[in-house]
Amino acid sequence: MSQSAIHTLLIELLTEELPPKALVRLADAFANGLVEKLNAQDLIAGVPDFEQHATPRRLAVVIRQVRAIAPAKQVRQKILPVSIALDAAGQPTPALTKKLAALGLADLKLAELERALDGKVEAFFLNRTVPGAVLSEALQTALNETLAQLPIPKVMRYQAPDGSLVEFVRPAHKLLALHGTAIVPVSALGLKAGRTTLGHRFLSKHEITLPNADVYSSTLTQTGQVLTHFETRREVIRSELIKHAGGARISLPEALLDEVTALVEWPAVYLCHFDPAFLAVPQECLILTMQTNQKYFALSDANGALQARFLVVSNLATTTPEAIITGNERVVQARLADAKFFFEQDCKKPLIQQAPQLANVTYHNKLGSQLQRVERIENIATALAPQLGANPALVARAARLAKADLLSLMVNEFPELQGTMGQYYARHDGEPAEVAQACAEHYQPRFAGDALPASITSTVVALADKLETLVGIWGIGLAPSGDKDPFALRRHALGILRMVLEKALPLDLAQLLRTSFASFASLPQVIDPCDALLAFLRDRLRGLLRERGYHANEIEAVLSHAPTRIDDLPARLEAVRVFAALPEAPALAAANKRITNILKKSAETPATVQPALLTEAAEKALYAQLEAITPAVQTQLAAQRYTEVLVTLAQLRANVDTFFDGVMVNAEDSALRMNRLALLAQLWRLMNCVADLSKLAAG
């Protein structure tokens, strides 16, 4: 086999239908594993150029520019330090003789070894030429290792064609391995490699013989009725769905599109219908039923109202699809009838009557039942309501009903609909609009970027729900650890922070936690987590602000004094950003840092300045300017006009510079020294009333 033989390499494993939700992961691992292992053996010329292919019945990879034999390599191998390899007479020691024998070099002469420094120690090295890897051997090893490392969700054991017992994700039927036109003699899973494969299960009747590796995808498309490339097949499905929708909106979750792509090799889209009477059922139920159970794509009008039509992606393209359409319509009829039954049964019992039964549902063995949890949420929510101007009666009612839909048949069937169904049932029961809305919205935000609750009632219950979870779960010792956060406490913390920040809620975080912890008074096993949670919230807040584009020094400037009110942080951050762009900012930030260090070293600082003790012109000027601008600063601060505050403070730059240039703070006279410290303390308090400006100083 010539080293110059460089061709395309094709490896395909033909199997029974692979698990659709695992197909992409399996394909990635299969292709990347083979490419990485062959590239490590220098069998791929240049940068690896490959395509991975994945269908329900096959995993394949096409790798270009693959060598039959890798180039020989010059290897420099350390043998032993000279002090160990030679004895006092300069003769080889038994240790050297044993080492060389182990390497198959027992007859090697000492003169054939290189003697050189290895760091500070002299050692013997062996320089030799190592033959390059042979593709057939390297591919066999790579194939064995890659198959063993695949992320298989559940292993099957079966008998291979050669009679051996094999474990794999699904039974494998063929192994195809071509390097250019030549079969690579490898084997796997009881199969020997060949050049034949199979096309579509129904549309292709015979084995397909591939003349070479380069025509894999085109041959299977033209002869086998198989689109082997996953991404290509997915985009064909997307295009066909849009075409058959006829202008209607398609409910097109990417996860569903991926799953359907993993179920078909030659996709065909057909339009189906269902009885419009089912539209009386909440459309979320119908859509989820179609998507989850049948992998159908629901259609809606321009206003988002569900239509009595849906699209099915079939693995069988035909000019007479009537049987396929009728069959799918018959199946969906039964599924939608189940959803209709669940909804009608749930509506027979109002939520307020179902809520007490939450006592029979365990929330956590250390925190009691779901009813006890609901009572805690209600207590927290009613405590927050007056602070946010919410109607306490509506808040209490919404909190009481918020989790009642967990007992419904519909949510039992589709847990994803909790909250959504609560809103529908509350409307059916005639509950106030804000109460019904809160049943759904109190779960928001569910994820990063999700919408916040719209109404004030929803917001209060959402805060209470997340606070109860944080305090309770943390209080029983289940704080997040590393990447483990089974109760999504990080997500709950971010939800609280987003609501307070984006809605500018005038709430004190420390007080929120204390109020929430008070609701656990009857549970002594819940240890006070408030201080730890406050630190946790601040850490999450830093991350949230970084994601919004603020720099670390800007964030530390507004958080260094550990504020527990954060509703005005955006305004403070904007003011800091404006101040940092002023020409006076660097000097004032540096001066502020200097003042901070001086005051830290002082054992005590008088509360007020005594004007009579101001002797230097520079300190008199600084004091006079402080007194002059303080009323304006206080007015601006009270109005939360933080940018104006910092622009006003920038006027101090000249007098601050003059003070430090001409005034000795640590004067020998203790009265003068203490008065100057009092002046610096007054300046520090004023300069840092918006943010700690020393955090903006360079270095």
Side-chain angles (χ1 to χ4, degrees):
M1 193 176 284
S2 170
Q3 179 179 317
S4 61
I6 297 179
H7 302 291
T8 299
L9 175 68
L10 163 65
I11 304 295
E12 183 204 62
L13 187 63
L14 188 75
T15 69
E16 291 294 326
E17 276 71 9
L18 296 162
K21 292 184 178 179
L23 181 61
V24 172
R25 294 195 306 275
L26 290 169
D28 287 344
F30 184 76
N32 290 324
L34 290 173
V35 170
E36 288 171 7
K37 290 172 175 58
L38 294 178
N39 193 47
Q41 295 290 322
D42 201 18
L43 283 163
I44 300 176
V47 177
D49 179 13
F50 67 98
E51 291 177 358
Q52 67 183 52
H53 300 265
T55 78
R57 301 174 64 207
R58 71 200 74 228
L59 299 173
V61 60
V62 175
I63 313 170
R64 298 178 182 84
Q65 296 290 298
V66 177
R67 299 181 173 103
I69 301 176
K73 291 184 178 179
Q74 293 296 316
V75 176
R76 184 173 187 259
Q77 181 181 2
K78 180 181 176 182
I79 303 301
L80 283 175
V82 171
S83 59
I84 297 174
L86 300 181
D87 60 19
Q91 297 301 309
T93 63
L96 178 59
T97 302
K98 185 177 179 181
K99 178 73 172 181
L100 293 175
L103 294 172
L105 303 169
D107 296 330
L108 192 74
K109 305 298 184 185
L110 188 62
E112 296 179 66
L113 294 175
E114 175 191 358
R115 186 167 176 170
L117 284 175
D118 180 31
K120 295 183 179 180
V121 178
E122 195 174 21
F124 282 115
F125 294 86
L126 174 64
N127 295 297
R128 57 177 172 166
T129 300
V130 177
V134 176
L135 176 60
S136 58
E137 298 171 0
L139 180 58
Q140 184 64 70
T141 301
L143 195 56
N144 293 342
E145 293 177 355
T146 298
L147 292 176
Q149 294 166 358
L150 289 182
I152 296 175
K154 188 175 182 180
V155 173
M156 289 184 65
R157 174 175 284 189
Y158 62 94
Q159 190 172 33
D162 65 358
S164 62
L165 280 178
V166 175
E167 290 186 348
F168 195 54
V169 60
R170 291 293 185 271
H173 297 303
K174 281 184 174 292
L175 177 63
L176 191 156
L178 291 179
H179 184 230
T181 60
I183 296 173
V184 184
V186 294
S187 61
L189 306 176
L191 302 168
K192 291 184 178 181
R195 64 169 66 250
T196 63
T197 186
L198 295 176
H200 192 282
R201 186 180 289 279
F202 307 113
L203 301 176
S204 177
K205 302 297 184 183
H206 307 290
E207 283 191 343
I208 298 171
T209 301
L210 291 174
N212 61 71
D214 290 297
V215 298
Y216 172 69
S217 183
S218 60
T219 300
L220 276 170
T221 300
Q222 295 163 14
T223 306
Q225 305 285 277
V226 173
L227 293 174
T228 59
H229 194 260
F230 187 91
E231 297 293 336
T232 300
R233 200 164 64 253
R234 182 172 60 179
E235 293 313 306
V236 166
I237 294 173
R238 191 195 302 274
S239 176
E240 287 296 300
L241 287 170
I242 294 171
K243 174 184 173 182
H244 284 77
R249 291 184 182 179
I250 311 171
S251 181
L252 193 61
E254 290 299 312
L256 178 60
L257 182 59
D258 284 345
E259 188 173 358
V260 168
T261 303
L263 287 167
V264 297
E265 291 193 316
W266 193 254
V269 175
Y270 301 113
L271 178 64
C272 305
H273 297 78
F274 62 82
D275 187 344
F278 288 118
L279 293 175
V281 178
Q283 67 180 45
E284 291 90 345
C285 306
L286 304 180
I287 292 171
L288 200 56
T289 296
M290 288 188 280
Q291 291 178 349
T292 303
N293 294 324
Q294 300 307 129
K295 317 306 174 191
Y296 296 154
F297 295 87
L299 299 175
S300 59
D301 62 22
N303 297 318
L306 185 66
Q307 298 179 342
R309 308 185 301 150
F310 62 94
L311 297 173
V312 57
V313 180
S314 172
N315 194 34
L316 191 60
T318 175
T319 56
T320 55
E322 291 77 15
I324 295 174
I325 292 172
T326 302
N328 281 283
E329 290 178 343
R330 185 169 55 251
V331 170
V332 85
Q333 182 85 5
R335 291 294 188 180
L336 297 185
D338 288 343
K340 184 172 184 289
F341 173 78
F342 294 152
F343 181 63
E344 290 174 347
Q345 291 299 114
D346 288 339
C347 286
K348 291 179 180 179
K349 190 171 184 180
L351 287 179
I352 195 63
Q353 293 181 20
Q354 294 204 55
Q357 296 175 34
L358 289 170
N360 301 321
V361 181
T362 300
Y363 169 51
H364 190 282
N365 60 2
K366 292 185 179 180
L367 297 173
S369 68
Q370 282 285 1
L371 180 60
Q372 290 172 301
R373 180 176 184 235
V374 164
E375 290 169 347
R376 291 192 294 268
I377 293 172
E378 186 176 344
N379 289 338
I380 297 168
T382 52
L384 293 180
Q387 300 178 54
L388 297 178
N391 183 317
L394 290 179
V395 165
R397 185 74 172 185
R400 176 63 58 168
L401 299 180
K403 306 296 182 184
D405 68 342
L406 295 177
L407 298 166
S408 67
L409 293 172
M410 191 69 79
V411 171
N412 183 61
E413 180 72 12
F414 299 115
E416 307 95 315
L417 292 178
Q418 58 185 288
T420 299
M421 295 316 301
Q423 179 171 348
Y424 278 109
Y425 297 143
R427 288 174 179 170
H428 177 270
D429 297 344
E431 296 288 348
E434 279 203 36
V435 170
Q437 185 180 11
C439 287
E441 291 188 346
H442 81 279
Y443 286 104
Q444 295 172 211
R446 292 180 176 87
F447 50 85
D450 190 20
L452 299 182
S455 74
I456 189 62
T457 300
S458 299
T459 300
V460 172
V461 179
L463 283 169
D465 180 45
K466 291 167 178 57
L467 285 164
E468 192 279 339
T469 302
L470 271 178
V471 172
I473 297 299
W474 198 295
I476 59 173
L478 296 177
S481 176
D483 60 351
K484 295 180 180 178
D485 187 11
F487 296 94
L489 299 191
R490 294 185 179 98
R491 175 166 57 81
H492 286 305
L494 286 172
I496 292 168
L497 294 170
R498 280 193 59 203
M499 283 186 277
V500 175
L501 277 175
E502 295 175 29
K503 290 179 173 288
L505 302 180
L507 296 172
D508 184 291
L509 293 181
Q511 187 57 48
L512 278 181
L513 295 171
R514 290 288 167 202
T515 299
S516 303
F517 179 59
S519 295
F520 291 88
S522 63
L523 298 175
Q525 63 269 34
V526 179
I527 308 302
D528 184 354
C530 294
D531 291 342
L533 274 174
L534 189 58
F536 178 70
L537 285 169
R538 287 196 182 114
D539 186 56
R540 297 292 101 195
L541 179 59
R542 285 182 172 88
L544 181 62
L545 295 175
R546 282 195 299 271
E547 289 175 4
R548 297 187 177 189
Y550 294 106
H551 299 304
N553 60 345
E554 296 169 341
I555 295 169
E556 292 308 311
V558 298
L559 295 184
S560 64
H561 297 321
T564 54
R565 281 278 300 269
I566 64 169
D567 48 302
D568 62 353
L569 280 190
R572 290 178 184 266
L573 283 162
E574 184 57 34
V576 167
R577 196 164 263 186
V578 171
F579 173 79
L582 298 176
E584 297 88 351
L588 283 175
N592 193 285
K593 187 173 184 179
R594 183 175 178 183
I595 294 168
T596 300
N597 292 333
I598 291 172
L599 294 177
K600 280 181 180 178
K601 295 175 182 178
S602 175
E604 59 176 312
T605 303
T608 58
V609 177
Q610 297 183 44
L613 292 177
L614 299 172
T615 59
E616 301 287 343
E619 59 183 334
K620 290 179 180 178
L622 178 58
Y623 177 70
Q625 190 176 19
L626 279 176
E627 291 293 298
I629 67 171
T630 294
V633 168
Q634 291 174 339
T635 299
Q636 294 160 351
L637 193 63
Q640 295 188 354
R641 302 200 303 270
Y642 299 127
T643 300
E644 293 181 33
V645 170
L646 294 184
V647 170
T648 301
L649 291 174
Q651 301 171 20
L652 293 168
R653 188 259 173 95
N655 279 329
V656 169
D657 286 349
T658 303
F659 175 87
F660 280 115
D661 287 342
V663 177
M664 175 67 71
V665 175
N666 290 319
E668 292 185 9
D669 187 314
S670 62
L672 290 179
R673 181 172 65 253
M674 297 304 291
N675 200 52
R676 287 168 184 170
L677 288 172
L679 177 60
L680 290 182
Q682 181 179 341
L683 173 61
W684 186 91
R685 287 191 296 271
L686 196 65
M687 289 180 68
N688 294 288
C689 62
V690 171
D692 184 351
L693 300 184
S694 69
K695 301 298 182 183
L696 304 178

